[in-house]
Amino acid sequence: MGVGNAERAAIGAIDLHAHVVPSEIVEFLAREGARFDTQIVESEGRRFFEIAGRARRPIVAPIHDPEARLPDMDAHGVSLQAVSAVPFLMYPELEPTTAAEFAARVNDGIRGIAAHASHRFLGVATVALQDGRLAAGELDRARGLGFVAVEIPARLPGRELDDRALDPFWEAAAALGMPVCIHPFDACPAEPFSRFALGNVLGNGFDTAIAASLLAFGGVLERHPRLRVVLRHGGGAFPALLGRLDWGHGTFAECRTASARKPSDFLDHFWFDDVTFDASTFRALVDRVGAARVVVGSDHPLIPYQRSRVVEQVSEVGLDDATVRAILRDNAAALLGITST
Ligand SMILES: [Zn+2]
């Protein structure tokens, strides 16, 4: 309400959902991308990652150059970004040892970006979730390097997130105090998600809802009560379907085998970013999950702040000043353990 542009800039938003590709990784994939089914291709003077011979992701300066990100951050009052790898770099289908080596290489690159301007960027690590113990080991190393969180895919080939083989990873995340950001992606979705970009605009939201539901129904949150989880894109379909999930818990015995508590009882384990592209959807999210659970997230620089409006919308939906400040900054600062920046 009373928070305008000047006040927003003074608050200094913390963006918990931004992406990078370290330049060392661009160079590495240019040399060795065949092993990862990823090529660097040029078209009309622009460079792209080409995944599995068909999905293209642009390589633009702000994705690997921290200095090139700052003007957009400054113009929209973002003081700090928690940066994670572009999601396809998680390569959940790779053989575990190769994936673990690559994750360490990615983390070393992200560490370099964070070190370049440590008051503007914090690292979100990547791990090879194909092997729960390898993932726990890399998470421990990343914590030592100053990373503040970790990002994982919403889905793994042949394994669900509540698989007991992943418990070493969940244990490590809880013990190290590292929030786990679940990021959906499907570089090459199948029908009908291959059409109309449905894999992105709908599939991502469904995958996030499935991942969060598995953590609740599958007992992961019951087994690891200190675990903190960040859901991308406003939690996708999860907040809207919470009532139905709770109904399922009360109705189907199968839903109660690993967790005595219903999904909404675990809401205080979850944080939700505000990439919703619609102010009323954002407000509904705040009303459903509570303002203390909502943080700024943007998908920057893949989506510039001008288009996502993830900072501006916070003060445009009738929230009081203290709540605006909490969503813009204080909630994320508490989650990441930041006292001042
Ligand atoms: Zn993203």
Side-chain angles (χ1 to χ4, degrees), residues 52-86:
R54 57 195 180 107
R56 285 191 174 185
R57 299 287 185 276
I59 305 174
V60 293
I63 205 80
H64 55 79
D65 176 4
E67 286 296 321
R69 307 168 75 91
L70 295 174
D72 200 19
M73 293 168 64
D74 291 342
H76 293 270
V78 176
S79 63
L80 187 64
Q81 284 184 340
V83 295
S84 59
V86 163

Side-chain angles (χ1 to χ4, degrees), residues 37 49-57 186-190 194:
D37 207 4
F49 297 106
E50 189 171 85
I51 308 145
R54 57 195 180 107
R56 285 191 174 185
R57 299 287 185 276
D186 189 348
C188 301
S194 64

Side-chain angles (χ1 to χ4, degrees), residues 322-333:
T323 303
V324 168
R325 186 185 171 90
I327 293 174
L328 287 179
R329 182 178 180 87
D330 296 347
N331 293 344

Side-chain angles (χ1 to χ4, degrees), residues 15 41 104 114 122 138 154 170 186 190 202 204 226 281 309 317 335:
D15 180 352
V41 298
L122 293 170
E138 180 63 13
W170 298 119
D186 189 348
L202 292 184
N204 279 356
R226 290 162 62 203
T281 305
R309 302 196 77 256
V317 293
L335 178 63

Side-chain angles (χ1 to χ4, degrees), residues 17-19 84 87 151 183-184 232-233 298-299 302:
H17 180 179
H19 294 299
S84 59
E151 184 150 281
H183 198 305
R232 301 315 204 183
H233 315 127
S298 67
D299 261 322
L302 307 174

